[in-house]
Amino acid sequence: MIRNSVMLMFCLELLFTFTAIAGSPLIRCENVFYALNSENTDGLINVPSQQDLTRCAGVVQAINNKKCTFNTAECTDDCGPLGHQTDEWDCPISCECKSSGFIEGDIKFDKQNIPMIRKAYGMKGQIATKGATGVLDLWTNRVNGRVKVPFVMRNDTLNTSKIVIHEAVAAISGSTCIDLINRTTEMDFIEVIRGRGCWSWVAKRGGKQELSIGPGCEYSGIVQHEFLHALGFWHEQSRPDRDDYVTINWENIRDTSVHNFYQVSTIRSLGSPYDTQSIMHYHGYSFTKNGNPTMVHKISNEPIRAQRVGLSPEDIYQVNALYCNPVTTVPYTQLPTTKPGMYKYWIW
């Protein structure tokens, strides 16, 4: 009884004080939902029981039911992944599409790249890349076959954050043809900030583009995830061949979060099979409204256990295929794959 009471208080505290990925209050039980499917090998996550999980989900659902009253089913404009205008609780308040915010949890957008997002989700049957589709800009400063991507950390970056950022940068640069370098006078660069949650723009935006590693995001794998967004990669489960490998349990997804599971029709694999152990893959409880899995393996029917340790072999292959090889030389395939070995698990 004491443990359950503590967990309920923990859920409520998360609900009203914890800021995750994009800072939305309805994402604040995400830690609790995901903890059930984690191995807790590093002491980062307290594993709740199913009862605890359901109770926390009930708190969220109660607030959903109380707060969300606007019916977007009557809207004629399909906003796609952008979603409709919402209030601070992520409840729709208008038929107008969002002009800024986040898609898929941690991908930032504003008016400048709305046309790109619409094209990326709407184009069909075109040959494109796994990460940067035909409508995205890549980083192009190449020296001796390696692509130089400058970045800088804002002055208020904590020392603990600096350490994991450097670890993540070394991991990417050490396994791919990307060199994440300290910015000097480059006009196009990434600025790592301590914002609200963990997020990034997709691909090169032009000029200074922010990448947030906020409180709770200070893990090398999470930093690598956000840097791959900045290099032009979408989430793995956004691939158009996703439904061949995983099942989306739409009935378990929060009504206001369904758009986070839309697929990017222009994504192609660059010859790499679908990879549930990609550092870019969602976990199986993402955006759950009832504590039940939102995404499971097609064959085993088990929730996806995402990893945030580092780039998977397929991630490394795809970064190198995108930036080091002409796309036309890499055949497209849809073969299944498995990744043996132990991983730590986290929420993003």
Side-chain angles (χ1 to χ4, degrees):
M1 179 64 71
I2 294 177
R3 182 177 183 275
N4 289 341
S5 298
V6 170
M7 179 52 69
L8 177 58
M9 293 177 63
F10 176 56
C11 292
L12 290 170
E13 181 180 358
L14 280 174
L15 193 59
F16 292 106
T17 65
F18 179 72
T19 300
I21 306 173
S24 169
L26 295 183
I27 300 177
R28 293 174 184 174
C29 260
E30 199 83 341
N31 275 356
V32 180
F33 298 145
Y34 187 58
L36 182 71
N37 201 43
S38 302
E39 292 192 346
N40 199 30
T41 57
D42 51 14
L44 295 177
I45 304 174
N46 294 319
V47 181
S49 67
Q50 181 64 56
Q51 183 180 7
D52 297 328
L53 190 67
T54 303
R55 183 179 290 110
C56 192
V59 174
V60 177
Q61 186 62 17
I63 291 179
N64 279 351
N65 293 337
K66 179 180 179 181
K67 288 282 184 178
C68 298
T69 57
F70 187 84
N71 184 14
T72 56
E74 300 176 358
C75 298
T76 57
D77 189 3
D78 179 12
C79 295
L82 304 176
H84 294 90
Q85 291 283 355
T86 59
D87 61 15
E88 63 177 329
W89 297 98
D90 205 29
C91 289
I93 57 175
S94 167
C95 283
E96 294 185 15
C97 300
K98 290 181 182 178
S99 59
S100 64
F102 299 85
I103 62 173
E104 299 186 15
D106 66 336
I107 297 176
K108 190 171 177 61
F109 75 91
D110 60 12
K111 289 183 178 180
Q112 175 180 325
N113 57 348
I114 284 179
M116 174 275 292
I117 292 173
R118 286 189 176 276
K119 289 180 181 179
Y121 278 83
M123 296 167 63
K124 296 183 182 300
Q126 299 195 15
I127 300 301
T129 67
K130 185 268 183 190
T133 68
V135 297
L136 295 185
D137 291 327
L138 300 181
W139 302 84
T140 57
N141 182 20
R142 188 181 300 272
V143 179
N144 296 326
R146 297 187 64 81
V147 178
K148 309 295 181 179
V149 179
F151 79 98
V152 64
M153 287 182 271
R154 192 172 286 181
N155 292 334
D156 63 351
T157 304
L158 301 179
N159 287 334
T160 52
S161 297
K162 290 180 180 179
I163 292 173
V164 297
I165 292 168
H166 283 303
E167 288 177 354
V169 164
I172 294 174
S173 299
S175 59
T176 71
C177 63
I178 302 294
D179 283 333
L180 292 165
I181 60 173
N182 292 322
R183 185 241 178 178
T184 53
T185 60
E186 293 87 354
M187 295 298 295
D188 299 330
F189 66 97
I190 298 168
E191 182 180 46
V192 183
I193 68 170
R194 192 170 186 264
R196 297 181 62 188
C198 328
W199 51 260
S200 173
W201 307 89
V202 173
K204 185 177 74 173
R205 180 173 169 82
K208 179 182 74 174
Q209 66 184 69
E210 293 177 330
L211 183 155
S212 175
I213 303 299
C217 305
E218 303 94 339
Y219 298 92
S220 177
I222 294 177
V223 178
Q224 292 177 56
H225 176 101
E226 301 305 338
F227 266 107
L228 254 64
H229 278 317
L231 291 175
F233 285 82
W234 301 92
H235 292 118
E236 183 76 358
Q237 77 283 341
S238 295
R239 284 172 51 152
D241 61 342
R242 173 195 69 197
D243 293 338
D244 294 335
Y245 304 95
V246 300
T247 298
I248 305 300
N249 296 327
W250 299 97
E251 69 278 8
N252 295 332
I253 300 171
R254 293 195 299 265
D255 294 342
T256 56
S257 300
V258 169
H259 61 275
N260 290 313
F261 291 85
Y262 291 170
Q263 292 163 280
V264 182
S265 60
T266 53
I267 288 179
R268 289 299 179 266
S269 69
L270 292 173
S272 180
Y274 191 89
D275 183 16
T276 58
Q277 283 302 296
S278 168
I279 202 169
M280 304 307 291
H281 207 295
Y282 272 8
H283 64 78
Y285 290 91
S286 295
F287 304 104
T288 180
K289 68 180 179 182
N290 52 22
N292 294 321
T294 55
M295 187 161 40
V296 299
H297 286 278
K298 196 80 172 181
I299 298 177
S300 69
N301 205 39
E302 291 295 321
I304 300 295
R305 306 189 71 177
Q307 65 88 11
R308 291 297 179 267
V309 175
L311 306 187
S312 73
E314 299 300 342
D315 289 332
I316 294 170
Y317 169 82
Q318 290 185 7
V319 172
N320 288 333
L322 175 60
Y323 277 96
C324 309
N325 303 313
V327 175
T328 55
T329 66
V330 183
Y332 177 73
T333 184
Q334 292 186 350
L335 298 176
T337 186
T338 57
K339 292 289 181 295
M342 292 295 295
Y343 293 93
K344 296 177 184 177
Y345 305 98
W346 199 240
I347 64 172
W348 290 278

